[in-house]
Amino acid sequence: MTPLERALRERIAAEGPISVETYMEACNAYYYATRDPLGARGDFTTAPEISQMFGELVGAALADCWRRAGSPTDAIYAELGPGRGTLAADALRMLRAAGFAGQMHLVETSPVLRETQRKAIGDAVWHDRIDDLPAAPLLLVANEFLDALPIRQHVGAVERRVLVAGGGLAFDRDGEIVESSPAREEAIAVIALCLAQRGGAALLIDYGHAKSAPGDTLQAMRGHAFAPLLADPGEQDLTSHVDFEAIGRAAADAGASVTPVMSQGDWLLRLGIEARAQALSRANPDRVDEIGQALDRLTARDQMGELFKVMAVHAPDWPAPAGLAE
Ligand code: SAH
């Protein structure tokens, strides 16, 4: 039994069944605090780990947006859940080349990943919470961050819970599930308020759906494969599909402008990922195959291209980031 499962069973014995939200929050807090989950030997891979092209195009889109907003010198780069710091490093090269000299602010709770990020990017300011970001114009990116924040599941009017049954953890009920995530909406509301008051733009990239719909999307990943949700709590990555309609509404309610949702593949193609791949291939003739495969993984509809979505939230007096305007 994992150490977290022992703790959860004690809690359930003392307090009764816990909500899916409490379970997911406890599992991910433990999971991320105790390891670097990314890469071939980890549990999953993300777009910036597949190719430098991803972070470079994110950086180019933010740099272009910043320039069109008049290149404010008090703007900062901010990232939520930066993983290994790869996206930040790739994006920052593009931002620096465009003359952006602002600070880097990273929201990251995991001490293990903070250390990895420090090695990848050096100088940055770390925060535990989004609320701790300074009140400055933000050039913000969150890639596969929202999917790790906890969700609630309801079956009818009743919140779904986890209990101990038959010697293991089990759900208290099945049926048609409706998911919601106050944690995600709260995170986006904080960002949107800062954008509306101080300026800036945020790119939110994650797997999910453009329109709210019922359905059970909670999943566990371990060693690059799906795993049973209640097995080995704290030893596998728990995520769920992001409801972009819900977070878009939260951002608009907080006073920010929200772009339409676009698939990651379409967005990267609009930003010129094919030309970037050709240039990289010319400069690295020994890596032509690898670059072509990365392009395919990031954009093809049967890979990350369609399931992953991009949406921007920005200050009403800032332009929408490239490729996402109405
Ligand atoms: N953005 C990275 C990593 C995605 S994994 C990439 O694309 O490769 C999720 C990241 O979010 C990890 O860095 C994890 O430690 C962080 N994270 C998860 N829950 C968090 C929370 N509640 N607060 C801050 N960071 C969190």
Coordinates of all heavy atoms in Angstrom, one line a residue, residues 51-112:
S51 N 9.4 18.8 -28.6 CA 10.2 19.6 -29.5 C 10.4 21.1 -29.1 O 9.4 21.7 -28.5 CB 9.7 19.6 -30.9 OG 10.3 20.6 -31.7
Q52 N 11.5 21.7 -29.3 CA 11.8 23.1 -29.0 C 10.8 24.0 -29.8 O 10.6 25.1 -29.4 CB 13.2 23.5 -29.3 CG 13.6 23.5 -30.8 CD 15.0 23.6 -31.1 OE1 15.8 22.6 -31.0 NE2 15.4 24.8 -31.5
M53 N 10.3 23.5 -30.9 CA 9.4 24.3 -31.8 C 8.2 24.8 -31.0 O 7.7 25.9 -31.2 CB 9.0 23.5 -33.0 CG 10.1 23.1 -33.9 SD 9.5 22.3 -35.5 CE 8.9 20.7 -34.9
F54 N 7.7 24.0 -30.1 CA 6.5 24.4 -29.4 C 6.8 25.6 -28.5 O 6.1 26.6 -28.6 CB 6.0 23.2 -28.5 CG 4.8 23.5 -27.7 CD1 3.5 23.3 -28.4 CD2 4.8 23.8 -26.4 CE1 2.4 23.6 -27.7 CE2 3.6 24.1 -25.7 CZ 2.4 24.0 -26.4
G55 N 7.8 25.6 -27.7 CA 8.1 26.7 -26.8 C 8.5 27.9 -27.6 O 8.2 29.1 -27.2
E56 N 9.2 27.7 -28.7 CA 9.6 28.8 -29.5 C 8.4 29.6 -30.1 O 8.3 30.8 -30.2 CB 10.5 28.4 -30.6 CG 11.9 28.0 -30.1 CD 12.8 27.3 -31.1 OE1 12.3 26.9 -32.2 OE2 14.0 27.1 -30.9
L57 N 7.4 28.8 -30.6 CA 6.2 29.4 -31.2 C 5.4 30.1 -30.1 O 4.8 31.2 -30.3 CB 5.4 28.4 -32.0 CG 6.1 28.0 -33.3 CD1 5.4 26.8 -33.9 CD2 6.2 29.1 -34.3
V58 N 5.3 29.5 -28.9 CA 4.6 30.2 -27.8 C 5.3 31.5 -27.5 O 4.7 32.6 -27.3 CB 4.6 29.3 -26.5 CG1 4.2 30.1 -25.3 CG2 3.6 28.1 -26.8
G59 N 6.6 31.5 -27.4 CA 7.4 32.7 -27.1 C 7.2 33.7 -28.2 O 7.1 34.9 -27.9
A60 N 7.2 33.3 -29.5 CA 7.1 34.2 -30.6 C 5.7 34.9 -30.5 O 5.5 36.1 -30.8 CB 7.3 33.5 -31.9
A61 N 4.7 34.1 -30.2 CA 3.3 34.6 -30.1 C 3.2 35.7 -29.0 O 2.6 36.7 -29.1 CB 2.3 33.5 -29.9
L62 N 3.8 35.4 -27.8 CA 3.8 36.3 -26.7 C 4.6 37.6 -27.0 O 4.2 38.7 -26.7 CB 4.3 35.6 -25.4 CG 3.4 34.6 -24.8 CD1 4.1 33.9 -23.6 CD2 2.1 35.1 -24.4
A63 N 5.8 37.4 -27.7 CA 6.6 38.5 -28.1 C 5.9 39.5 -29.0 O 5.9 40.7 -28.8 CB 7.9 38.0 -28.7
D64 N 5.2 38.9 -30.0 CA 4.5 39.7 -31.0 C 3.3 40.4 -30.3 O 3.1 41.6 -30.6 CB 3.9 38.7 -32.0 CG 2.9 39.3 -32.9 OD1 3.3 40.2 -33.7 OD2 1.7 39.0 -32.8
C65 N 2.7 39.8 -29.4 CA 1.6 40.4 -28.7 C 2.1 41.6 -27.8 O 1.5 42.7 -27.8 CB 0.9 39.4 -27.8 SG -0.6 39.8 -27.0
W66 N 3.2 41.4 -27.1 CA 3.8 42.4 -26.3 C 4.2 43.6 -27.1 O 4.0 44.7 -26.7 CB 5.0 41.7 -25.6 CG 5.9 42.6 -24.8 CD1 5.6 43.2 -23.6 CD2 7.2 43.1 -25.1 NE1 6.7 44.0 -23.2 CE2 7.7 43.9 -24.1 CE3 8.1 42.8 -26.2 CZ2 8.9 44.5 -24.1 CZ3 9.3 43.4 -26.2 CH2 9.8 44.2 -25.2
R67 N 4.8 43.3 -28.3 CA 5.3 44.4 -29.2 C 4.1 45.2 -29.6 O 4.1 46.5 -29.6 CB 6.0 43.8 -30.4 CG 7.3 44.6 -30.7 CD 8.1 43.9 -31.7 NE 7.5 42.8 -32.3 CZ 8.2 41.7 -32.7 NH1 9.5 41.6 -32.5 NH2 7.5 40.7 -33.3
R68 N 3.0 44.5 -30.0 CA 1.8 45.2 -30.5 C 1.1 46.0 -29.4 O 0.3 46.9 -29.7 CB 0.8 44.3 -31.2 CG 1.3 43.8 -32.6 CD 0.3 43.0 -33.3 NE 0.1 41.7 -32.8 CZ -1.0 41.1 -32.6 NH1 -2.1 41.7 -32.8 NH2 -1.0 39.8 -32.1
A69 N 1.4 45.6 -28.1 CA 0.8 46.4 -27.0 C 1.7 47.6 -26.6 O 1.4 48.2 -25.6 CB 0.6 45.4 -25.8
G70 N 2.8 47.8 -27.4 CA 3.6 48.9 -27.1 C 4.9 48.6 -26.3 O 5.5 49.5 -25.7
S71 N 5.2 47.3 -26.2 CA 6.4 46.8 -25.5 C 6.6 47.4 -24.1 O 7.6 48.0 -23.8 CB 7.7 47.2 -26.3 OG 7.6 46.8 -27.6
P72 N 5.5 47.3 -23.3 CA 5.6 47.8 -21.9 C 6.8 47.2 -21.1 O 6.9 45.9 -21.1 CB 4.3 47.4 -21.3 CG 3.7 46.3 -22.1 CD 4.3 46.6 -23.5
T73 N 7.6 48.0 -20.5 CA 8.9 47.5 -19.9 C 8.6 46.8 -18.5 O 9.4 46.1 -18.0 CB 9.9 48.6 -19.7 OG1 9.2 49.7 -19.0 CG2 10.4 49.1 -21.0
D74 N 7.4 47.1 -18.0 CA 7.1 46.5 -16.7 C 6.4 45.1 -16.8 O 6.1 44.5 -15.8 CB 6.2 47.4 -15.8 CG 4.9 47.8 -16.5 OD1 4.8 47.6 -17.7 OD2 4.0 48.3 -15.8
A75 N 6.3 44.6 -18.0 CA 5.6 43.3 -18.2 C 6.6 42.2 -17.7 O 7.8 42.3 -17.8 CB 5.3 43.1 -19.7
I76 N 6.0 41.1 -17.2 CA 6.8 39.9 -16.8 C 6.3 38.7 -17.5 O 5.2 38.6 -18.0 CB 6.6 39.7 -15.3 CG1 5.2 39.4 -14.9 CG2 7.2 40.9 -14.5 CD1 5.0 39.0 -13.4
Y77 N 7.2 37.7 -17.7 CA 6.9 36.4 -18.1 C 6.4 35.6 -16.9 O 7.1 35.6 -15.9 CB 8.1 35.7 -18.8 CG 7.8 34.3 -19.2 CD1 7.3 34.0 -20.5 CD2 8.0 33.2 -18.4 CE1 7.0 32.7 -20.9 CE2 7.8 31.9 -18.8 CZ 7.3 31.7 -20.0 OH 7.0 30.4 -20.4
A78 N 5.3 34.9 -17.0 CA 4.8 34.1 -15.9 C 4.3 32.8 -16.5 O 3.8 32.7 -17.6 CB 3.6 34.8 -15.2
E79 N 4.6 31.7 -15.8 CA 4.2 30.4 -16.2 C 3.6 29.6 -15.0 O 4.2 29.7 -13.9 CB 5.4 29.6 -16.9 CG 4.9 28.3 -17.5 CD 5.9 27.6 -18.3 OE1 6.9 28.2 -18.8 OE2 5.8 26.4 -18.5
L80 N 2.6 28.9 -15.3 CA 1.9 28.0 -14.3 C 2.3 26.6 -14.5 O 2.2 26.1 -15.6 CB 0.4 28.2 -14.3 CG -0.2 29.6 -14.4 CD1 -1.7 29.5 -14.5 CD2 0.3 30.4 -13.3
G81 N 2.9 26.0 -13.5 CA 3.3 24.5 -13.6 C 4.3 24.3 -14.7 O 4.0 23.6 -15.7
P82 N 5.5 24.9 -14.6 CA 6.4 24.8 -15.7 C 7.2 23.5 -15.9 O 8.0 23.4 -16.8 CB 7.5 25.9 -15.4 CG 6.9 26.6 -14.2 CD 6.0 25.7 -13.5
G83 N 6.9 22.5 -15.2 CA 7.5 21.2 -15.4 C 9.0 21.2 -15.3 O 9.5 21.6 -14.3
R84 N 9.7 20.9 -16.4 CA 11.2 20.9 -16.4 C 11.7 22.3 -16.7 O 13.0 22.4 -16.8 CB 11.7 19.9 -17.3 CG 11.5 18.4 -16.9 CD 12.0 17.5 -17.9 NE 12.1 16.1 -17.3 CZ 12.5 15.1 -18.0 NH1 12.7 15.2 -19.3 NH2 12.6 13.9 -17.4
G85 N 10.9 23.2 -17.1 CA 11.4 24.5 -17.5 C 11.7 24.6 -18.9 O 12.3 25.6 -19.4
T86 N 11.4 23.6 -19.7 CA 11.8 23.5 -21.1 C 11.0 24.6 -21.9 O 11.6 25.3 -22.7 CB 11.5 22.1 -21.7 OG1 12.1 21.2 -20.8 CG2 12.0 22.0 -23.1
L87 N 9.7 24.7 -21.7 CA 8.9 25.7 -22.4 C 9.4 27.1 -22.1 O 9.5 27.9 -23.0 CB 7.4 25.5 -22.0 CG 6.4 26.5 -22.4 CD1 6.4 26.9 -23.9 CD2 5.0 26.0 -22.0
A88 N 9.6 27.3 -20.8 CA 10.1 28.7 -20.4 C 11.4 29.0 -21.1 O 11.6 30.1 -21.6 CB 10.2 28.7 -18.9
A89 N 12.3 28.1 -21.1 CA 13.6 28.3 -21.7 C 13.5 28.6 -23.2 O 14.1 29.6 -23.7 CB 14.6 27.2 -21.5
D90 N 12.7 27.8 -23.9 CA 12.5 28.0 -25.4 C 11.7 29.3 -25.7 O 12.1 30.0 -26.6 CB 11.8 26.8 -26.0 CG 12.6 25.5 -25.9 OD1 13.8 25.6 -25.9 OD2 12.0 24.4 -26.0
A91 N 10.7 29.6 -24.9 CA 9.9 30.8 -25.1 C 10.8 32.0 -24.8 O 10.7 33.0 -25.5 CB 8.7 30.8 -24.2
L92 N 11.6 32.0 -23.8 CA 12.3 33.1 -23.4 C 13.4 33.5 -24.4 O 13.7 34.7 -24.6 CB 13.0 32.9 -22.0 CG 13.2 34.2 -21.2 CD1 11.9 34.8 -20.9 CD2 14.1 34.0 -20.0
R93 N 14.0 32.5 -25.1 CA 14.9 32.8 -26.2 C 14.3 33.8 -27.2 O 14.8 34.7 -27.6 CB 15.4 31.6 -26.9 CG 16.6 30.9 -26.3 CD 17.3 30.0 -27.3 NE 16.4 29.1 -28.0 CZ 15.8 28.0 -27.5 NH1 16.1 27.6 -26.3 NH2 15.0 27.2 -28.3
M94 N 13.0 33.5 -27.5 CA 12.3 34.3 -28.5 C 12.0 35.6 -27.9 O 12.1 36.7 -28.6 CB 11.0 33.6 -29.0 CG 11.2 32.2 -29.5 SD 12.4 32.1 -30.8 CE 11.4 32.6 -32.2
L95 N 11.5 35.7 -26.7 CA 11.2 36.9 -26.1 C 12.4 37.8 -25.9 O 12.3 39.0 -26.2 CB 10.5 36.7 -24.7 CG 9.0 36.2 -24.7 CD1 8.7 35.5 -23.5 CD2 8.1 37.4 -24.9
R96 N 13.5 37.3 -25.5 CA 14.7 38.1 -25.3 C 15.2 38.6 -26.7 O 15.6 39.8 -26.8 CB 15.8 37.3 -24.7 CG 15.5 36.8 -23.3 CD 15.6 38.0 -22.3 NE 15.5 37.5 -20.9 CZ 14.5 37.9 -20.0 NH1 13.6 38.8 -20.4 NH2 14.5 37.5 -18.8
A97 N 15.1 37.8 -27.7 CA 15.5 38.2 -29.1 C 14.6 39.4 -29.6 O 15.0 40.2 -30.4 CB 15.4 37.1 -30.1
A98 N 13.4 39.5 -29.0 CA 12.5 40.6 -29.4 C 12.6 41.8 -28.5 O 11.9 42.8 -28.7 CB 11.0 40.1 -29.4
G99 N 13.6 41.7 -27.6 CA 13.9 42.9 -26.8 C 13.2 42.9 -25.4 O 13.3 43.9 -24.7
F100 N 12.4 41.8 -25.1 CA 11.8 41.7 -23.8 C 12.8 41.5 -22.7 O 13.6 40.5 -22.8 CB 10.7 40.6 -23.9 CG 10.1 40.3 -22.5 CD1 9.1 41.1 -22.0 CD2 10.5 39.2 -21.8 CE1 8.5 40.8 -20.8 CE2 10.0 38.9 -20.5 CZ 8.9 39.7 -20.1
A101 N 12.9 42.3 -21.7 CA 13.9 42.2 -20.7 C 13.2 42.0 -19.3 O 13.9 42.0 -18.3 CB 14.7 43.5 -20.6
G102 N 11.9 41.6 -19.3 CA 11.2 41.5 -18.0 C 11.6 40.2 -17.2 O 12.3 39.3 -17.8
Q103 N 11.2 40.2 -16.0 CA 11.5 39.1 -15.1 C 10.7 37.8 -15.4 O 9.7 37.9 -16.1 CB 11.1 39.4 -13.6 CG 12.1 40.4 -12.9 CD 11.6 40.5 -11.5 OE1 10.4 40.6 -11.2 NE2 12.5 40.5 -10.6
M104 N 11.1 36.7 -14.9 CA 10.4 35.4 -15.0 C 9.8 35.1 -13.7 O 10.5 35.0 -12.7 CB 11.3 34.3 -15.4 CG 12.1 34.6 -16.7 SD 12.8 33.1 -17.2 CE 11.4 32.2 -17.8
H105 N 8.5 34.7 -13.7 CA 7.8 34.3 -12.5 C 7.2 33.0 -12.7 O 6.4 32.8 -13.6 CB 6.8 35.4 -12.0 CG 7.4 36.6 -11.5 ND1 7.5 36.9 -10.2 CD2 8.0 37.6 -12.2 CE1 8.1 38.1 -10.0 NE2 8.4 38.5 -11.2
L106 N 7.5 32.0 -11.9 CA 7.0 30.6 -12.1 C 6.2 30.2 -10.9 O 6.6 30.3 -9.7 CB 8.2 29.7 -12.2 CG 9.2 30.1 -13.3 CD1 10.4 29.0 -13.4 CD2 8.6 30.2 -14.7
V107 N 5.0 29.7 -11.1 CA 4.1 29.2 -10.1 C 4.3 27.7 -10.1 O 3.9 27.0 -11.0 CB 2.7 29.6 -10.3 CG1 1.8 29.0 -9.2 CG2 2.5 31.1 -10.4
E108 N 5.0 27.2 -9.0 CA 5.3 25.8 -9.0 C 5.4 25.4 -7.5 O 6.1 26.0 -6.7 CB 6.7 25.5 -9.6 CG 7.2 24.1 -9.5 CD 6.2 23.1 -10.2 OE1 6.2 23.1 -11.4 OE2 5.6 22.3 -9.4
T109 N 4.6 24.3 -7.1 CA 4.6 23.9 -5.8 C 5.7 22.8 -5.5 O 6.1 22.6 -4.4 CB 3.2 23.3 -5.4 OG1 2.7 22.5 -6.5 CG2 2.3 24.4 -5.1
S110 N 6.1 22.1 -6.6 CA 7.0 20.9 -6.4 C 8.4 21.3 -6.2 O 9.0 21.9 -7.0 CB 6.9 20.0 -7.6 OG 7.9 19.0 -7.6
P111 N 9.0 21.0 -5.0 CA 10.4 21.3 -4.8 C 11.3 20.6 -5.8 O 12.3 21.1 -6.2 CB 10.7 20.8 -3.4 CG 9.5 20.1 -2.9 CD 8.4 20.3 -3.8
V112 N 11.0 19.4 -6.2 CA 11.8 18.6 -7.1 C 11.8 19.3 -8.5 O 12.9 19.5 -9.1 CB 11.2 17.2 -7.3 CG1 12.0 16.4 -8.3 CG2 11.1 16.4 -6.0

